[in-house]
Amino acid sequence: MNSVASFNVTKQKAAWWRIYQPQPQAKQRIICLPHAGGCASFFKKWTMTLPSSIELVTIQYPGREERLAEPLINNMDELIDGLIIALTEQQLLDKPYLLFGHSMGGYIVYELCLALRECNLPLPYQLVISASEAPTHKNTSSLHLDSDQALLDELEKLNGTQFSLATHPELAQMLLPIIRNDYQLIESWRPKPNSLPLDIPLTTFIARQDTELTEEQALAWQQQTTKNFHCEYFQGNHFYLIEEQAKVIQALLKIAKQQMTSHYQWTMTP
């Protein structure tokens, strides 16, 4: 890790995460990483339906919302360095936790798990990757080099916003640099060759009408774990979790409940 980058990241470590509804007595955490162009508040409504036994932590990438004045990060390794520092120094890994990443966030949580393993830090009890192709099926593209209009067309196709940016030029002007940056991060990321599979149960969430992801690409995540692999299907497009929020949370709660049941049985074993 670069020493200068380390200092800057450490200085800003408290800004890397948001807990919109603290749950000091929670038994576990769900840590969410958003999509390209996304921010922590994308998951804010989730806190309204989670039980007090689960604390929701949402990651805030630099250069958006309250971190708007900070430089964006377009390099996966630098982003992972920042996350490792923030999560460990803020003691967010001191309880059983689930990692959830949507789209770009799916690639990031995978790389984060590899880094946590390398650093001998606590690993999540479950990795949930949403709307992301497996490393062995990573698409090659260069959208970050295309025109603003091409990026806007891509967003329209994905339906990642609940309104058209084409009719909100001022908002588009603010968001386009962030989206271009995040696409550069995704498109320049090269999965590490010959990485050993993770010893973590892995679940993929797939939207049936997602034109950006095939079932084959999503199911190939099974190659990245030595533990149980499962796939959950939802109705909708690439951003299905907006309309399917209740079902997504229900699926995550089912996983969380299974983890706590297993933990209880393990602790009660003579």
Side-chain angles (χ1 to χ4, degrees), residues 114-255:
L114 294 179
L116 290 167
R117 181 177 66 181
E118 186 177 347
C119 296
N120 293 315
L121 291 168
L123 293 170
Y125 65 77
Q126 182 87 24
L127 182 58
V128 180
I129 294 178
S130 165
S132 302
E133 70 265 17
T136 54
H137 287 66
K138 183 179 183 294
N139 288 324
T140 56
S141 59
S142 56
L143 268 170
H144 74 280
L145 298 175
D146 286 350
S147 66
D148 287 351
Q149 187 58 53
L151 287 176
L152 287 173
D153 292 344
E154 178 69 10
L155 290 179
E156 291 286 336
K157 183 174 69 172
L158 294 178
N159 195 23
T161 58
Q162 294 177 296
F163 50 84
S164 174
L165 285 177
T167 59
H168 295 76
E170 292 183 0
L171 183 59
Q173 187 177 9
M174 183 180 71
L175 290 180
L176 277 170
I178 298 172
I179 295 164
R180 188 178 299 281
N181 172 89
D182 291 355
Y183 269 97
Q184 182 175 357
L185 185 147
I186 296 168
E187 292 169 344
S188 64
W189 167 58
R190 297 292 180 268
K192 297 177 178 62
N194 304 317
S195 291
L196 293 175
L198 295 162
D199 294 325
I200 305 169
L202 195 156
T203 298
T204 57
F205 284 4
I206 306 175
R208 296 188 184 276
Q209 290 79 38
D210 189 348
T211 59
E212 297 297 299
L213 181 72
T214 68
E215 187 176 36
E216 179 185 7
Q217 290 171 330
L219 294 180
W221 277 107
Q222 186 169 10
Q223 302 169 24
Q224 306 304 321
T225 179
T226 62
K227 300 296 185 181
N228 293 335
F229 175 82
H230 179 64
C231 183
E232 289 277 351
Y233 292 86
F234 300 86
Q235 294 298 322
N237 57 29
H238 193 69
F239 281 91
Y240 70 94
L241 68 175
I242 296 174
E243 298 296 331
E244 295 280 272
Q245 177 181 305
K247 292 182 179 179
V248 170
I249 293 175
Q250 185 179 20
L252 292 174
L253 288 177
K254 182 179 178 181
I255 294 171

Side-chain angles (χ1 to χ4, degrees), residues 13-106:
K13 63 181 181 293
W16 280 81
W17 52 273
R18 298 287 179 271
I19 299 177
Y20 293 107
Q21 187 170 323
Q23 300 287 2
Q25 304 305 315
K27 301 296 184 183
Q28 58 174 298
R29 293 188 176 99
I30 294 177
I31 302 177
C32 295
L33 284 81
H35 52 279
C39 50
S41 62
F42 183 80
F43 298 102
K44 188 174 183 178
K45 291 182 180 179
W46 288 23
T47 60
M48 301 175 186
T49 54
L50 290 174
S52 59
S53 60
I54 298 177
E55 185 172 63
L56 184 73
V57 178
T58 61
I59 296 302
Q60 187 75 294
Y61 306 131
R64 53 210 84 194
E65 293 190 326
E66 306 94 329
R67 305 188 71 184
L68 195 61
E70 297 177 44
L72 296 162
I73 294 177
N74 60 16
N75 176 275
M76 181 69 82
D77 289 339
E78 185 180 347
L79 184 66
I80 296 300
D81 285 348
L83 286 169
I84 291 285
I85 291 174
L87 292 171
T88 54
E89 294 200 5
Q90 295 302 309
Q91 299 183 357
L92 294 174
L93 308 181
D94 63 341
K95 296 179 180 180
Y97 69 99
L98 177 153
L99 271 181
F100 175 88
H102 178 69
S103 197
M104 180 181 79

